[in-house]
Amino acid sequence: EQLIEDAGPVVYISSLCGKFIQRNGVSVTSITKARPNDLFKRHPDRFLLLGGGNVTLPKFASAPEVVQLQQAARTGRGIKMEDGDDLPDEAGVVAEFRKSMLSEQATSVSITA
């Protein structure tokens, strides 16, 4: 919680895990025997998953950054696949990333696999 408090209100889970390793010298997974996402899901009273690989603390639920991410998760921004559609090729993924970054006037973007 302190790591989120320090970096928050919204923290990318991978960054949070990296900071945990730096501070403690051991990974979250090696201690909990679970993926960080699963750990957060087991403790909804202490963590709020926002989608897109982001997490916050419930006390930040009304922060503008949190509200924006929750709205984005509800509207499902991103590549939409219809039943029977083929997966996009690399050029399609690149085009979608570029379109998303330009529409949000982003200076940087976190991307997960």
Side-chain angles (χ1 to χ4, degrees):
E1 289 176 71
Q2 187 61 48
L3 289 171
I4 297 173
E5 185 86 35
D6 292 345
V10 175
V11 181
Y12 191 60
I13 294 171
S14 292
S15 296
L16 183 64
C17 291
K19 289 178 192 222
F20 184 90
I21 290 171
Q22 287 175 342
R23 283 195 184 181
N24 300 288
V26 63
S27 72
V28 172
T29 303
S30 67
I31 294 171
T32 64
K33 306 299 184 224
R35 296 181 315 168
N37 204 38
D38 294 334
L39 175 70
F40 298 140
K41 286 179 184 178
R42 286 198 310 259
H43 298 278
D45 56 318
R46 299 181 80 168
F47 302 102
L48 179 60
L49 286 169
L50 301 173
N54 294 291
V55 66
T56 191
L57 301 175
K59 72 179 187 175
F60 294 131
S62 61
E65 304 96 312
V66 173
V67 172
Q68 181 181 11
L69 283 169
Q70 288 175 316
Q71 289 173 342
R74 278 194 291 275
T75 60
R77 286 189 311 185
I79 299 173
K80 290 289 188 198
M81 301 302 297
E82 300 295 327
D83 288 339
D85 281 356
D86 292 329
L87 290 172
D89 60 10
E90 183 174 331
V93 172
V94 170
E96 186 64 28
F97 283 158
R98 187 172 189 284
K99 176 179 152 188
S100 178
M101 291 170 67
L102 290 173
S103 70
E104 296 174 20
Q105 298 178 350
T107 57
S108 65
V109 175
S110 296
I111 299 173
T112 60

